[in-house]
Amino acid sequence: MTDTSSALRIVWIYPDLLSTYGDRGNVLVLRRRAALRGIPTEIVHVNSGDPVPEHGDIYLLGGGEDRPQILAAERLRAQGGLARAVRNGACVFAVCAGYQIIGETYADNESNPLPGVGILDVRSDRGRTRAVGELVADVAPELGGGRITGFENHQGRTTIGPSARPLSTLVRGIGNDERTEGAYQGQVLGTYLHGPALPRNPQLADQLLGRRVGQLAPLPPSWGERLHDERLTAALRQ
Ligand code: GLN
């Protein structure tokens, strides 16, 4: 058996509930960009009946429909493993429904506030319209800056509390509130971006990896950078 004790542990939370729009691509691109630098990874799939391990390095959550989103939030809160992992220093990257449920509160389809996991100081409620389309935003300078693209499809709108900061400033799209997109607090990041987000934005993938493995060797540009440039041009042309 391979010794994976020193491998970077990437934990994919609830693929049975939160896995719309190909968000699993985020898992694959992290593994790929780690492998290209000789960093071994272990991918752990945690279905909603399973406990969330507390000693992973990077935890990924995807988007989901309203009902599975509620179930996921209830189970994550009851089981507690994700919050404990964050206290242990783990990094989290959560998309759309995943982003909403790691916050303090999010809304059901009648706008009732429901409790989230509480690891990111954001609150989401329901907007009057659905936000659908291409999104372009500029990542906060303290996170390394750079322009990111993806597509969004959500009813929720998100307000950032005092302990969190916007992940990026909006150039095109709706995002949190038509001004900013996503949020971060320490090692916890949330975004509305699908695409999937990390294959479309390799610099964001490296930002996450760097949080756990430190300085990363640069990689020669590949299909990821070409995809990023192509989607950015297309989104800004619309
Ligand atoms: N149900 C949430 C919303 O509509 C999240 C949707 C999603 O993950 N695409 O805001």
Side-chain angles (χ1 to χ4, degrees):
M1 202 170 95
T2 318
D3 174 20
T4 52
S5 57
S6 61
L8 185 78
R9 270 187 117 192
I10 300 173
V11 184
W12 177 222
I13 297 205
Y14 296 174
D16 54 336
L17 293 178
L18 301 174
S19 194
T20 50
Y21 309 122
D23 291 326
R24 180 168 167 268
N26 293 334
V27 179
L28 303 181
V29 89
L30 285 182
R31 180 173 68 184
R32 174 76 182 146
R33 293 185 77 82
L36 287 171
R37 291 162 167 123
I39 302 165
T41 51
E42 181 194 354
I43 309 294
V44 184
H45 285 212
V46 181
N47 279 326
S48 55
D50 304 332
V52 176
E54 292 168 29
H55 296 287
D57 290 290
I58 302 178
Y59 290 71
L60 298 169
L61 295 88
E65 304 304 326
D66 291 351
R67 187 61 212 155
Q69 169 176 5
I70 293 172
L71 253 179
E74 284 171 355
R75 290 186 179 186
L76 285 172
R77 278 169 50 77
Q79 198 269 328
L82 180 61
R84 285 193 290 276
V86 170
R87 285 199 289 277
N88 290 336
C91 175
V92 177
F93 183 72
V95 175
C96 204
Y99 170 36
Q100 294 175 359
I101 65 174
I102 64 169
E104 296 295 330
T105 60
Y106 67 100
D108 68 10
N109 58 9
E110 287 169 347
S111 296
N112 301 306
L114 299 174
V117 182
I119 54 175
L120 181 62
D121 188 12
V122 299
R123 286 173 171 72
S124 301
D125 51 25
R126 280 178 84 76
R128 283 194 311 278
T129 56
R130 196 161 182 87
V132 184
E134 290 291 317
L135 189 152
V136 178
D138 288 329
V139 173
E142 66 273 19
L143 298 182
R147 193 156 270 195
I148 51 176
T149 79
F151 77 88
E152 59 183 336
N153 184 352
H154 54 100
Q155 191 78 34
R157 298 294 188 277
T158 299
T159 306
I160 301 176
S163 301
R165 305 264 312 143
L167 180 71
S168 61
T169 306
L170 209 61
V171 175
R172 168 163 297 221
I174 305 288
N176 293 323
D177 55 1
E178 302 186 34
R179 286 176 296 135
T180 63
E181 198 300 299
Y184 75 96
Q185 179 176 345
Q187 296 280 64
V188 179
L189 285 75
T191 179
Y192 274 114
L193 287 188
H194 298 285
L198 299 181
R200 261 173 80 156
N201 299 286
Q203 85 277 24
L204 199 55
D206 285 354
Q207 231 282 326
L208 279 179
L209 286 174
R211 284 168 173 263
R212 293 304 292 180
V213 301
Q215 186 79 33
L216 291 169
L219 295 176
S222 67
W223 61 266
E225 284 75 12
R226 282 201 300 279
L227 177 65
H228 176 264
D229 294 349
E230 184 192 287
R231 295 315 307 158
L232 192 57
T233 308
L236 291 173
R237 206 190 286 129
Q238 277 180 1

